[in-house]
Amino acid sequence: MPQSIKMHPLEPLSFQAFFGLYFLSLVAYLFYAFTKRESAGKAATALLVLGLLANTVNLVARGIEAGRVPFANLYESLLIFIWGIALCLLWCTLRWRIHLAGALVMPLVFAMACFALTVDSEIEPLMPALRSNWITYHVATAIVAYGAFAYSFALAVIYLIREHMEKDGSSSPLLERLPGLEKLDRLIYKVIAFGFPFLVLLIITGAIWAERAWGRYWSWDPKETWSLITMFIYAGFLHARFFLKWRGRTTALFAIIGFASVVFCYLGVNLLLPGLHSYGRR
């Protein structure tokens, strides 16, 4: 059993800070969703920025104490993906000002932070399979891809909400604050088109890493299989968009199905199916 490493003093403090700030950001985004007050949306974004800063301090402190990039186990991967999804949300919010997306993405971020509380947080030396630069590239591409797909999921839900309100002839003030269906449809496509190459790179870097670690590029491990399924879903989305001219509700449903596959690939496979990625359960 590898000897655990003592935590950096800043790590528990920064975890508590970003946990609380993300929770407050979630509350502010939900308040915005129900009251439509722009001040609530701006406050939520400001809290998200502070939460990201605390999240960054947490990762840096853990990396300094561990003497490596923190991605050795499930706890550390949760910290990294919380950071990545929150960063993607912030960037997209500043770019497109769709504050309602935060009310859909932040519950995921906060749920992952809550889950991290239940996972073993001890710092341990890297297992031999993880001692490769390729795992760094693998994780970096995953952060971008998963963050983009999480945001596309939020846009898809907003699309379905707006479509439902329009069909019902709703006169809610919320309708005036939501982007139009055409804009949402276009943004869903743009975000997925941006994230898809990183998903492909995620699989490629994972295959190269697997060859370095286990001597083979592909072994049909459950994680590998589900990552391929996820890639096919998003590839199918882009193919149908370009060649079959699929738009609207179908686009939104594809984005939701794709993200469900991402979540299962990331957490479901690790927790439910045995395989080479079982170290992620720790």
Side-chain angles (χ1 to χ4, degrees):
M1 181 74 178
Q3 186 176 3
S4 61
I5 302 169
K6 187 178 179 181
M7 279 189 180
H8 191 283
L10 279 177
E11 189 177 342
L13 293 175
S14 56
F15 184 96
Q16 292 171 13
F18 82 69
F19 186 90
L21 287 164
Y22 283 156
F23 174 73
L24 292 175
S25 179
L26 167 60
V27 171
Y29 274 123
L30 291 175
F31 186 72
Y32 168 82
F34 287 103
T35 65
K36 301 92 183 177
R37 294 184 181 177
E38 284 297 324
S39 58
K42 292 178 180 178
T45 301
L47 289 165
L48 175 60
V49 171
L50 294 175
L52 261 170
L53 290 174
N55 200 165
T56 303
V57 170
N58 181 262
L59 287 169
V60 170
R62 190 173 183 90
I64 290 173
E65 203 64 27
R68 53 170 172 75
V69 179
F71 47 55
N73 51 37
L74 180 57
Y75 176 80
E76 292 177 358
S77 76
L78 283 168
L79 295 181
I80 287 177
F81 285 117
I82 288 169
W83 179 85
I85 293 173
L87 180 62
C88 183
L89 171 61
L90 176 62
W91 187 86
C92 292
T93 299
L94 294 176
R95 181 175 176 84
W96 293 308
R97 304 290 176 180
I98 305 176
H99 293 299
L100 187 60
L104 296 165
V105 176
M106 284 310 296
L108 171 66
V109 170
F110 187 67
M112 292 175 71
C114 289
F115 183 45
L117 290 173
T118 70
V119 177
D120 184 6
S121 61
E122 285 191 358
I123 302 176
E124 296 180 354
L126 281 176
M127 61 183 296
L130 295 177
R131 293 170 189 167
S132 169
N133 288 333
W134 285 102
I135 185 61
T136 304
Y137 311 141
H138 184 63
V139 172
T141 55
I143 289 172
V144 178
Y146 289 2
F149 296 147
Y151 194 76
S152 70
F153 163 79
L155 292 175
V157 173
I158 294 172
Y159 182 97
L160 295 177
I161 291 172
R162 174 157 192 132
E163 182 187 54
H164 177 74
M165 293 176 72
E166 286 189 2
K167 286 182 177 179
D168 284 357
S170 173
S171 58
S172 170
L174 176 61
L175 195 60
E176 299 177 3
R177 295 178 180 272
L178 294 179
L181 293 179
E182 287 188 12
K183 181 177 180 179
L184 286 168
D185 177 79
R186 189 168 60 253
L187 289 179
I188 292 170
Y189 165 70
K190 283 184 176 180
V191 174
I192 291 178
F194 172 78
F196 182 73
F198 289 94
L199 177 61
V200 174
L201 288 172
L202 167 66
I203 295 173
I204 292 173
T205 54
I208 296 173
W209 163 40
E211 195 278 332
R212 299 289 192 275
W214 298 296
R216 55 189 182 277
Y217 289 101
W218 198 266
S219 60
W220 294 105
D221 176 77
K223 190 84 163 184
E224 296 170 349
T225 303
W226 272 99
S227 65
L228 197 60
I229 290 171
T230 302
M231 188 189 75
F232 284 152
I233 291 172
Y234 284 112
F237 166 87
L238 294 173
H239 176 86
R241 176 92 183 186
F242 187 78
F243 291 102
L244 303 180
K245 308 301 180 184
W246 284 7
R247 299 290 189 274
R249 185 179 182 84
T250 305
T251 295
L253 292 175
F254 244 111
I256 291 171
I257 293 170
F259 186 63
S261 181
V262 167
V263 172
F264 185 78
C265 182
Y266 172 55
L267 284 178
V269 171
N270 279 23
L271 299 175
L272 300 176
L273 303 176
L276 295 174
H277 290 77
S278 59
Y279 58 81
R281 300 182 188 194
R282 294 203 304 269

